[in-house]
Amino acid sequence: MTTPATTDALKSSRLAILGYGSQGRAHALNLHESGLDVIVGVRKGGPSWEKAQADGLRVAEPAEAVKQADLVAVLTPDMVQPALYHEAIAPYLKPNAALLFAHGFNVHFDQIQPRADIDVILVAPKGPGALVRREYEKGHGVPCLYAIHQDASGEARAKVLAYAAGIGGARAMLIETEFAEETETDLFGEQAVLCGGATELVLQGFETLVEAGYKPEVAYYECLHELKLIVDLLHEGGLAKMHQFVSETAQYGDLTRGPRVVNDETRSRMREVLAEIRDGRFAKEWVDEYKAGNGNYRAMKERDLAHPIEQVGATLRARMPWLAPAGG
């Protein structure tokens, strides 16, 4: 599971990082500080251009950065990538160069069909860019998935492992996967558990208590605010640590009532969600929504943010200044 890796395979290469958001900035700075030759490809005059320059990195327009590069990391949002590939990458990328992604969505669902003469690889840190950067600065790293979709040069494996080492992943753990596995499990986790599942469970719990006559403020604390306490325990030590640090009453309620709320019907719905991911229905729906201007997406998001739990939460969080990040 863990693969020894160094940056040696990229020591004489130039790396173009396209995009300077959360992951882009973390990757670019970590690679630069690992002694690799980095150039950031962003729109000239924009805030990302100025930010990368202020961070001490070389910058260029995306197409110009690609022309100079032996490896191009595409770290822009998923829906922007196909146009970026056709306009600024495919016409300019060198033969046998590497094209790297941090999420396999566009390659796996054929939104991008890479040229046959390039390496196509993936390095997906299992954490947000801020964490990737913060752990690197501490001398640590964030575990990464890596995959090889296309090996035109015969050196794709060496390149992908060197890149993962350069951003700090080899300090923690490198796990080999495939584009399909990374993409499908990532989407499923977001939809069924981490974002869709968890937030919907919170909202339904809040609404159940409020409908039964309990104060919204009390419902907020019980169903949303205290969720972090449980997640932190799970994150740090799995189910064992959670059971260790909650009361026996909570444990008994967990073991006897939890399966009544999340049950075989829930599992059946999860299987449906996974099937829609695997056969491409979700990808098509999302791509079509984006191309149509995101009207439905925006409306659904506005309804979500207008939920009463948001108004209650804003009032309560204003009285808990310790929740704000330091300096924020």
Side-chain angles (χ1 to χ4, degrees), residues 34-319:
S34 292
L36 298 176
D37 183 2
V38 173
I39 185 167
V40 176
V42 287
R43 182 173 56 83
K44 187 172 184 178
S48 294
W49 179 286
E50 295 175 0
K51 189 172 186 179
Q53 280 189 325
D55 285 338
L57 297 171
R58 257 196 328 275
V59 295
E61 292 275 4
E64 185 58 36
V66 170
K67 290 177 186 177
Q68 302 177 36
D70 303 292
L71 182 151
V72 173
V74 186
L75 301 178
T76 57
D78 288 337
M79 293 298 101
V80 174
Q81 291 178 12
L84 180 67
Y85 176 75
H86 290 294
E87 296 168 8
I89 299 175
Y92 306 110
L93 191 59
K94 303 174 184 177
N96 290 326
L99 184 64
L100 180 143
F101 297 87
H103 181 39
F105 184 97
N106 283 302
V107 172
H108 179 53
F109 292 118
D110 294 323
Q111 299 303 300
I112 292 175
Q113 298 178 325
R115 283 174 14 202
D117 64 329
I118 59 174
D119 297 336
V120 183
I121 56 182
L122 175 144
V123 174
K126 300 315 293 175
L131 181 66
V132 173
R133 179 61 181 154
R134 186 164 65 248
E135 289 302 298
Y136 181 92
E137 290 178 307
K138 293 178 181 177
H140 304 151
V142 171
C144 293
L145 304 182
Y146 72 94
I148 301 166
H149 177 74
Q150 192 168 281
D151 185 3
S153 70
E155 300 174 354
R157 185 176 183 83
K159 293 175 185 178
V160 74
L161 291 175
Y163 187 97
I167 64 172
R171 299 172 178 176
M173 182 189 307
L174 303 182
I175 303 173
E176 187 165 11
T177 185
E178 298 174 349
F179 270 60
E181 183 176 59
E182 184 278 332
T183 302
E184 292 169 3
T185 57
D186 184 76
L187 292 174
F188 177 81
E190 292 169 349
Q191 294 173 22
V193 181
L194 304 177
C195 301
T199 56
E200 195 60 31
L201 191 64
V202 165
L203 293 178
Q204 295 286 349
F206 175 87
E207 290 176 0
T208 299
L209 288 177
V210 173
E211 287 170 0
Y214 297 101
K215 293 182 178 65
E217 294 80 4
V218 175
Y220 175 89
Y221 277 116
E222 293 301 330
C223 295
L224 189 153
H225 182 79
E226 293 188 14
L227 182 63
K228 182 180 187 303
L229 306 178
I230 303 303
V231 170
D232 285 349
L233 292 172
L234 292 170
H235 186 263
E236 293 164 7
L239 295 175
K241 187 164 185 178
M242 189 274 288
H243 282 293
Q244 180 183 354
F245 283 91
V246 301
S247 70
E248 287 187 335
T249 302
Q251 292 180 59
Y252 183 76
D254 165 4
L255 298 169
T256 61
R257 269 56 177 181
R260 288 168 56 183
V261 176
V262 181
N263 51 30
D264 289 343
E265 176 65 18
T266 311
R267 178 73 66 86
S268 176
R269 298 301 183 193
M270 285 184 168
R271 291 192 182 110
E272 291 176 6
V273 167
L274 181 57
E276 291 173 4
I277 291 169
R278 296 180 74 176
D279 67 17
R281 275 179 287 172
F282 170 76
K284 183 180 186 306
E285 179 184 321
W286 174 218
V287 170
D288 288 348
E289 172 66 19
Y290 183 82
K291 289 180 178 178
N294 278 334
N296 293 328
Y297 162 69
R298 285 197 301 270
M300 289 185 291
K301 187 173 179 179
E302 288 172 7
R303 285 197 299 271
D304 205 39
L305 297 179
H307 192 281
I309 201 171
E310 281 293 281
Q311 283 75 57
V312 174
T315 300
L316 295 177
R317 289 191 297 270
R319 303 181 71 174

